[in-house]
Amino acid sequence: MYPRKPLPYGEQLARLKTYLGRARTDLRRKYDEFFSATKGRRDCPLEVQIRHLAVDHALRTVKLLEACVQEVQRQEAMFYAPFKPGDRIEVERHEGGAFAAYLVVDVLPDKKTRYSYECVALTKDGAMYKRGGSGRIWPKASSKIRASEASL
């Protein structure tokens, strides 16, 4: 068997989102069937249990597809981002001002810029701050982001 080449991220997302829409529609139908079967005074316990299992399986499928869509979006953001988790970067905070050092923790998808960085601020020594200091950094045309040459 020959190795298969994966689809580009855009096509993968389109297919997964289409399938997610179908799964959500199926879940709504299962809920409607379940409640229509249980609104009478008398019902068949076995039928109710089977319909409940069908709703449960449809709900699991929707949750799995939502997680898959989020992960493909995250992988696409990783592909486009020049810096990866674990990289040390310096970000210019003001025009012509000083640079602040950060450690990239994660790359997250963003609708406007395709990606953003989840970062932790670093001290002048290169260590992380003990309290907080984390945040998101979006690549903009006005701010400069460069790799840090500071030693570990």
Side-chain angles (χ1 to χ4, degrees):
M1 179 170 207
Y2 299 105
R4 294 183 175 198
K5 187 176 179 183
L7 290 171
Y9 290 115
E11 291 181 37
Q12 287 183 29
L13 275 172
R15 286 187 179 188
L16 283 173
K17 286 182 179 180
T18 301
Y19 194 55
L20 177 61
R22 290 178 186 166
R24 284 181 176 156
T25 302
D26 185 43
L27 178 62
R28 273 192 302 265
R29 286 185 186 139
K30 301 278 186 202
Y31 268 125
D32 291 343
E33 289 175 6
F34 177 76
F35 288 121
S36 68
T38 59
K39 69 180 175 183
R41 292 186 136 203
R42 293 179 157 195
D43 55 14
C44 175
L46 187 58
E47 177 192 7
V48 171
Q49 187 176 8
I50 290 172
R51 289 187 190 272
H52 176 67
L53 286 173
V55 168
D56 192 39
H57 289 299
L59 187 61
R60 284 186 200 162
T61 304
V62 168
K63 286 181 181 180
L64 178 65
L65 282 168
E66 287 172 348
C68 289
V69 167
Q70 286 178 351
E71 185 59 28
V72 169
Q73 288 173 339
R74 186 174 167 275
Q75 292 300 320
E76 182 182 27
M78 284 268 210
F79 177 76
Y80 288 115
F83 302 109
K84 307 298 179 216
D87 291 346
R88 298 167 70 124
I89 59 173
E90 292 178 351
V91 179
E92 183 181 32
R93 281 303 185 186
H94 305 290
E95 293 281 332
F99 283 84
Y102 290 93
L103 175 70
V104 177
V105 176
D106 198 8
V107 179
L108 303 171
D110 190 62
K111 289 184 178 180
K112 292 182 181 177
T113 60
R114 282 193 171 175
Y115 63 90
S116 63
Y117 297 110
E118 177 90 24
C119 293
V120 176
L122 299 175
T123 62
K124 290 181 181 178
D125 300 338
M128 292 191 293
Y129 283 101
K130 291 184 181 176
R131 292 188 200 176
S134 64
R136 277 179 91 167
I137 296 176
W138 288 268
K140 300 178 197 170
S142 62
S143 68
K144 295 178 185 174
I145 300 175
R146 66 182 185 197
S148 175
E149 289 108 19
S151 61
L152 294 173

